[in-house]
Amino acid sequence: MSDRQHVTLEDVARTAEVSLATASRALNGTTRVRDDLRERVLSAAAELAYTPNAHAQALAGGSRRTVGVICHDISDPYFAAITRGVMRVADSHGLLVMLAGTFADPDRELACVSALRAQRATAILLTGSAFEDRAWERRMAAELDPYRRGGGRVAVVTRHRSLKADTVAPDNRGGARAMAEAMHRLGHRRFAVVTGPERLTTVADRVTGFREGLAAAGIELSERDVFTSSFDRDGGYAAAGALLAARHRATCVLTASDVMALGVVSALREAGLSVPDDVSVTGFDDLPLVRDLAPPLSTVALPLERLGAEALELALDPGSASRGRVRRLPGEVLLRGSTARPRRRRRA
Amino acid sequence: MSDRQHVTLEDVARTAEVSLATASRALNGTTRVRDDLRERVLSAAAELAYTPNAHAQALAGGSRRTVGVICHDISDPYFAAITRGVMRVADSHGLLVMLAGTFADPDRELACVSALRAQRATAILLTGSAFEDRAWERRMAAELDPYRRGGGRVAVVTRHRSLKADTVAPDNRGGARAMAEAMHRLGHRRFAVVTGPERLTTVADRVTGFREGLAAAGIELSERDVFTSSFDRDGGYAAAGALLAARHRATCVLTASDVMALGVVSALREAGLSVPDDVSVTGFDDLPLVRDLAPPLSTVALPLERLGAEALELALDPGSASRGRVRRLPGEVLLRGSTARPRRRRRA
DNA sequence: CTGTTAGCGCATTCAT
DNA sequence: ATGAATGCGCTAACAG
């Protein structure tokens, strides 16, 4: 039993008693090969449990069978859904997905791109929102440009300022605006916003949308109406705590994501408030699970899987050489049980 | 602008005016290199935005920087949590994660292993439960054995009969038994089980556990008490519908997973039943989100991230040459709001 | 310490 | 249609 015993194409060729070239051709179907020879090769390969060495294939210039996906945290259902969309189309193209998690660390994101570059991935998909940071953008471009020059394709989900990559852009701003307007129409006049750090472009866009929608109704959001925390469930919980502590009189809390809304609702409920009787709460994304909440969450629905699927399709399609094409996807306001008309007077 | 312009180590060496070998050593820190030379190499590499070709590195026998994770569906929070654990330790080892989704298709699972094998992944982690199918097991072994022979490591989460791979095994059976007993102690006497297809070993183990726990209390589960459907949220919803249609008189529904429980609760609620006043419902896994449900779900808590993390650690640790070591992790019964003492008489 | 050289496994020219 | 030879980019002997 030798140390590492990889079956190579040469083994297959020898077993089939053909040349290396013929074995390669028979396996790849590149060129016509006499039937009996091909049979021999195929059965030899099967017998030896041969698997081509993808590295050798890639090196020899034969293939690039992987795509890289970079997200903040795969256990966030938002990224899970997007990644699922990516995997669907990757699967249909016979591509393998390399998933990299950055845990929202800008430096780690850079490192991931570098690693994916090294793997000569066919395409790199940036699914997390960008960081609003000049220096970081420059470094990211410094990674991506050589990658592109080497034939790599790049696509991003959501806006990446000055990255001039193919983009799939959900309408965060418009969706947020529409939601704010819808809540105003419902009768709400006192609002609070619960959100993540605004250096994330997604967050910034959504908050801007909320502001615009409210402004259109003549309502200004002051600094004290915006509660910022981490962009996850616990952030929502904490922000709602702060809101409660500040005795904020909002009848409606606009939240920048469904996951944060989850935390908001829990905090409110623990404080003895009823959603939506005392406070209406809205989310953003329409994660699969929020319809199963009690009450089901009103939210801005985004076609998450499509976001991922189209990002990969865009990257794979040589269309315009991966210049900055932008595919916009709308968000849809979904009013469910977590929102209601405000009561005349607030209890407690 | 040539077609594909990859910067290679040779370019770096030439720019730094050193030999190829020196450049390689300077970059990898393999051997001591004179400081000034090393400086020249490093700055040349930076200037040219050089990234080593991972394929060439792998081919030359230098590295195996990726691990493969195979799961059923990354948008299932169960797999997302496990994968997150894997990614954490992968990150700390400088490894990249290749994620493959099988959508619970046995054939696709085989194909994924083959692809990962081709990529010469350091380790392959099977996180989905096995399929109870002799022929399938044989074919899987036929993929895995040569992979191992080539130095590849394999670890699985949950039981894979006769795969003799390193295993991280949550105590599905024991946890299920404990939950059944807990519900009996709470006062329940009429039970129903909602579950996925029993050809999945995880499902089979959990159902067995339920049966054992109930049997210990003198309660036999008949065929009509078990509602089988797809192992996801919609499956739970459908199964609960069937249960309702059959006018089953259970006061407690034991569900094989949290995701299924999500569907069960929704269906029950839509039918006008209250959880837990009319029916108690239990889940399995303790997904992060279930504590935010109203009522929060009683469930068997599994350390999901640890499952993934330990699987990779096990695979990476050369310990006993990847023989069938088994690391068992207990499940803990968590009683929350979705369960209560049965009422004397059932309403409706 | 540094440079030269030989493969790693494969796809792909070239000849035949 | 098939076989022999070249090189992809890199690391690890091997010499100096």
Side-chain angles (χ1 to χ4, degrees), chain B residues 52-111:
Chain B
N53 184 325
H55 294 303
Q57 288 182 317
L59 229 208
S63 65
R64 293 153 83 71
R65 324 246 82 244
T66 88
V67 298
V69 174
I70 299 181
C71 70
H72 288 178
D73 177 3
I74 193 58
S75 73
D76 181 330
Y78 172 81
F79 291 113
I82 290 178
T83 302
R84 184 183 212 263
V86 174
M87 294 185 73
R88 252 199 1 241
V89 352
D91 187 71
S92 76
H93 286 250
L95 296 169
L96 230 40
V97 172
M98 305 204 69
L99 184 64
T102 66
F103 300 94
D105 173 355
D107 287 328
R108 216 182 311 226
E109 181 146 339
L110 258 0

Side-chain angles (χ1 to χ4, degrees), chain A residues 4 6 53-60 98 111 114-120, chain B residues 7-10 12 20-21 23-30 45 50-66 94-96 118-122:
Chain A
R4 60 187 173 92
H6 271 298
N53 184 325
H55 295 304
Q57 290 186 147
L59 230 208
M98 305 204 68
S114 179
L116 258 15
R117 246 180 90 193
Q119 295 288 338
R120 298 296 184 269
Chain B
V7 177
T8 75
L9 186 59
E10 196 174 339
V12 175
L20 223 167
S24 173
R25 291 191 273 249
L27 257 12
N28 298 310
T30 320
Y50 168 72
T51 294
N53 184 325
H55 294 303
Q57 288 182 317
L59 229 208
S63 65
R64 293 153 83 71
R65 324 246 82 244
T66 88
L95 296 169
L96 230 40
Q119 295 289 336
R120 297 298 183 268
T122 299

Side-chain angles (χ1 to χ4, degrees), chain A:
Chain A
M1 201 175 358
S2 69
D3 194 24
R4 60 187 173 92
Q5 202 67 283
H6 271 298
V7 176
T8 74
L9 186 58
E10 196 175 339
D11 298 325
V12 175
R14 195 179 317 117
T15 305
E17 297 179 298
V18 298
S19 77
L20 221 163
T22 301
S24 172
R25 292 190 272 247
L27 257 12
N28 298 310
T30 320
T31 314
R32 198 94 209 112
V33 173
R34 225 172 61 209
D35 283 5
D36 59 323
L37 289 192
R38 191 159 43 81
E39 279 316 314
R40 269 171 28 210
V41 172
L42 260 33
S43 71
E47 181 187 342
L48 298 175
Y50 167 73
T51 293
N53 184 325
H55 295 304
Q57 290 186 147
L59 230 208
S63 66
R64 291 154 87 69
R65 323 247 84 240
T66 87
V67 296
V69 175
I70 300 182
C71 71
H72 289 176
D73 178 3
I74 193 60
S75 72
D76 180 329
Y78 170 82
F79 291 112
I82 289 178
T83 302
R84 184 182 212 264
V86 174
M87 294 184 74
R88 253 199 2 241
V89 352
D91 187 69
S92 77
H93 287 249
L95 296 169
L96 229 40
V97 172
M98 305 204 68
L99 184 65
T102 66
F103 300 94
D105 174 356
D107 288 329
R108 215 181 312 226
E109 181 146 341
L110 257 2
C112 289
V113 172
S114 179
L116 258 15
R117 246 180 90 193
Q119 295 288 338
R120 298 296 184 269
T122 299
I124 295 179
L125 270 29
L126 267 32
T127 65
S129 67
F131 302 95
E132 299 266 19
D133 176 337
R134 273 305 189 211
W136 179 83
E137 284 172 3
R138 219 185 335 272
R139 291 165 64 202
M140 181 54 94
E143 282 289 345
L144 257 23
D145 288 342
Y147 173 68
R148 284 211 197 78
R149 236 173 283 133
R153 310 196 154 282
V154 179
V156 304
V157 174
T158 74
R159 177 172 68 88
H160 275 63
R161 205 175 55 187
S162 77
L163 216 53
K164 69 154 189 148
D166 285 339
T167 299
V168 176
D171 188 10
N172 285 318
R173 192 160 148 188
R177 185 170 39 217
M179 178 56 95
E181 289 170 353
M183 289 304 103
H184 180 266
R185 272 197 303 278
L186 241 194
H188 291 281
R189 294 297 178 268
R190 295 194 306 274
F191 292 86
V193 167
V194 164
T195 178
E198 294 213 26
R199 64 177 192 138
L200 296 176
T201 54
T202 301
V203 168
D205 290 347
R206 293 179 182 179
V207 172
T208 299
F210 288 145
R211 283 208 144 87
E212 289 177 353
L214 259 21
I219 298 179
E220 287 302 323
L221 226 41
S222 89
E223 241 179 52
R224 290 191 313 278
D225 300 324
V226 179
F227 296 82
T228 301
S229 187
S230 62
F231 199 38
D232 51 28
R233 183 268 178 203
D234 289 344
Y237 186 87
L243 182 152
L244 255 15
R247 300 185 167 281
H248 197 285
R249 302 185 60 235
T251 59
C252 176
V253 177
L254 301 167
T255 311
S257 81
D258 282 356
V259 252
M260 285 197 89
L262 222 55
V264 169
V265 170
S266 278
L268 259 25
R269 182 176 292 141
E270 283 179 20
L273 294 176
S274 157
V275 175
D277 292 341
D278 296 315
V279 189
S280 287
V281 176
T282 71
F284 211 113
D285 290 335
D286 194 31
L287 301 179
L289 66 98
V290 302
R291 64 176 170 170
D292 287 316
L293 298 178
L297 193 63
S298 296
T299 192
V300 179
L302 255 32
L304 297 178
E305 282 195 36
R306 271 188 61 200
L307 253 42
E310 297 207 5
L312 181 51
E313 279 166 0
L314 212 50
L316 256 28
D317 167 32
S320 51
S322 217
R323 305 297 256 162
R325 288 174 289 178
V326 177
R327 195 170 299 182
R328 300 200 173 284
L329 295 179
E332 185 191 358
V333 172
L334 252 39
L335 262 28
R336 295 195 272 227
S338 72
T339 52
R341 313 188 68 83
R343 299 203 301 204
R344 273 295 174 64
R345 290 185 282 185
R346 273 182 72 224
R347 237 211 234 285

Side-chain angles (χ1 to χ4, degrees), chain B residues 77-89 125 127 155-158 167-171 285-286 288 301-315 326-332:
Chain B
Y78 172 81
F79 291 113
I82 290 178
T83 302
R84 184 183 212 263
V86 174
M87 294 185 73
R88 252 199 1 241
V89 352
L125 270 31
T127 66
V156 304
V157 174
T158 75
T167 299
V168 176
D171 187 10
D285 290 335
D286 193 30
L302 255 31
L304 297 179
E305 284 194 36
R306 271 188 61 201
L307 253 42
E310 296 206 6
L312 181 50
E313 280 166 0
L314 212 51
V326 177
R327 194 169 300 184
R328 298 199 174 282
L329 295 179
E332 183 191 358

Side-chain angles (χ1 to χ4, degrees), chain B residues 260-338:
Chain B
M260 286 197 88
L262 223 53
V264 170
V265 170
S266 279
L268 258 26
R269 184 175 290 140
E270 283 179 19
L273 293 176
S274 159
V275 176
D277 291 342
D278 296 314
V279 188
S280 287
V281 176
T282 71
F284 212 113
D285 290 335
D286 193 30
L287 302 180
L289 66 98
V290 302
R291 63 176 170 168
D292 286 317
L293 297 178
L297 193 64
S298 295
T299 191
V300 179
L302 255 31
L304 297 179
E305 284 194 36
R306 271 188 61 201
L307 253 42
E310 296 206 6
L312 181 50
E313 280 166 0
L314 212 51
L316 256 26
D317 167 33
S320 51
S322 217
R323 306 298 255 158
R325 290 173 289 177
V326 177
R327 194 169 300 184
R328 298 199 174 282
L329 295 179
E332 183 191 358
V333 171
L334 252 38
L335 262 29
R336 295 196 273 226
S338 71

